[in-house]
Amino acid sequence: MKRRMNVLPGAGLFRTFLVLVFALALAACGRKKKTDLCESFRLYEARHVPCHIFEVSDLNEFDVLSQKATEVDSGLNYPKTFAVGIFSVPRVKFTRTHIIDGFAPADHYEFIKALSDHYASDTTFLNNVQLVDVINVKNKNAVFLKDTLQRVSDNGRNSTFKMKAPTYVALVYRQTNPAKRSKWVGEYMTWKREIVSFANNQLHTETIELLNEKAFK
């Protein structure tokens, strides 16, 4: 004779409850991811961009915020600007967020991962990386630029250089000297801009200019 399995009363309801709680937690986590990445996007663009125009997708360990194809109009059009981040479920927050401007993260995953890892420490982080064909620098630092086509403009304080080919430029933030912090000096400030490239699974960097040097001394 087959034995009947004893099922505790309410066991099915308890499993249903757990599934519901898990589903609600996932939904809340998804909303937070979108809200936080949207806020990073807004800070970069320096304008209020409505979150409903975006969607979030997965790219290995990264979450990627991109504009929905159905939400593009003349006033809101960001075909090549993305917010990416690595989300910590136990901490319920992003441990890293970056803006990718000018190229699609899905086509450059290894580069973005290497770049994100390179600048990730207790004192520094990558704010954004742009693909550009011109670079603006202080004149005193112009000697550091290589592979430029020509100087486009010079107003005595800053110069604009045309590059021979589109170039990736990273903006890096660094933790400031606690003794220098005030309402004008925060915990982190822009530290340097660098030309970055990725070849043969190796990241290469070249400093364009250092910024806010006094805040770090």
Side-chain angles (χ1 to χ4, degrees):
M1 293 179 64
K2 292 184 178 180
R3 293 183 178 180
R4 290 186 177 182
M5 297 293 293
N6 292 323
V7 179
L8 294 174
L13 288 175
F14 183 68
R15 284 195 297 270
T16 301
F17 173 76
L18 288 180
V19 170
L20 180 60
V21 169
F22 183 69
L24 291 173
L26 283 179
C29 188
R31 287 193 297 271
K32 179 168 177 55
K33 286 180 178 181
K34 187 174 182 179
T35 299
D36 289 355
L37 289 176
C38 183
E39 183 58 29
S40 295
F41 194 100
R42 288 169 175 168
L43 289 172
Y44 178 75
E45 292 292 334
R47 65 175 296 194
H48 181 82
V49 184
C51 286
H52 75 263
I53 72 168
F54 297 110
E55 60 188 356
V56 178
S57 58
D58 295 329
L59 180 62
N60 296 326
E61 66 269 60
F62 290 103
D63 289 287
V64 181
L65 181 94
S66 58
Q67 187 174 9
K68 298 176 183 177
T70 55
E71 294 287 350
V72 175
D73 62 37
S74 58
L76 295 169
N77 187 14
Y78 302 99
K80 292 185 178 181
T81 306
F82 308 82
V84 304
I86 297 178
F87 192 82
S88 169
V89 174
R91 299 171 66 181
V92 198
K93 70 174 188 178
F94 281 101
T95 54
R96 307 182 197 174
T97 56
H98 319 300
I99 297 296
I100 309 300
D101 191 355
F103 59 102
D107 298 332
H108 299 79
Y109 164 74
E110 291 83 4
F111 172 46
I112 294 171
K113 178 65 166 60
L115 197 59
S116 179
D117 290 345
H118 179 75
Y119 293 113
S121 74
D122 291 337
T123 58
T124 64
F125 67 88
L126 170 70
N127 180 269
N128 63 70
V129 57
Q130 295 177 286
L131 181 61
V132 298
D133 58 2
V134 295
I135 295 179
N136 298 310
V137 296
K138 294 180 180 178
N139 286 337
K140 68 176 183 178
N141 293 309
V143 292
F144 292 109
L145 279 178
K146 299 176 183 178
D147 298 323
T148 56
L149 184 63
Q150 62 182 359
R151 186 191 295 257
V152 179
S153 66
D154 177 1
N155 65 9
R157 295 182 60 188
N158 298 283
S159 292
T160 300
F161 288 86
K162 177 75 173 178
M163 308 305 289
K164 292 180 180 178
T167 303
Y168 296 96
V169 176
L171 184 65
V172 187
Y173 273 56
R174 178 184 171 189
Q175 195 170 41
T176 58
N177 182 344
K180 299 292 181 68
R181 290 174 197 165
S182 65
K183 64 179 181 179
W184 306 112
V185 178
E187 183 180 0
Y188 287 87
M189 291 187 68
T190 50
W191 175 34
K192 62 182 176 179
R193 288 195 302 148
E194 293 196 325
I195 292 174
V196 291
S197 59
F198 190 72
N200 300 319
N201 292 319
Q202 293 292 322
L203 186 70
H204 305 276
T205 67
E206 176 190 348
T207 300
I208 301 171
E209 62 179 328
L210 296 174
L211 304 159
N212 302 309
E213 295 178 67
K214 292 181 180 179
F216 307 108
K217 294 180 179 179

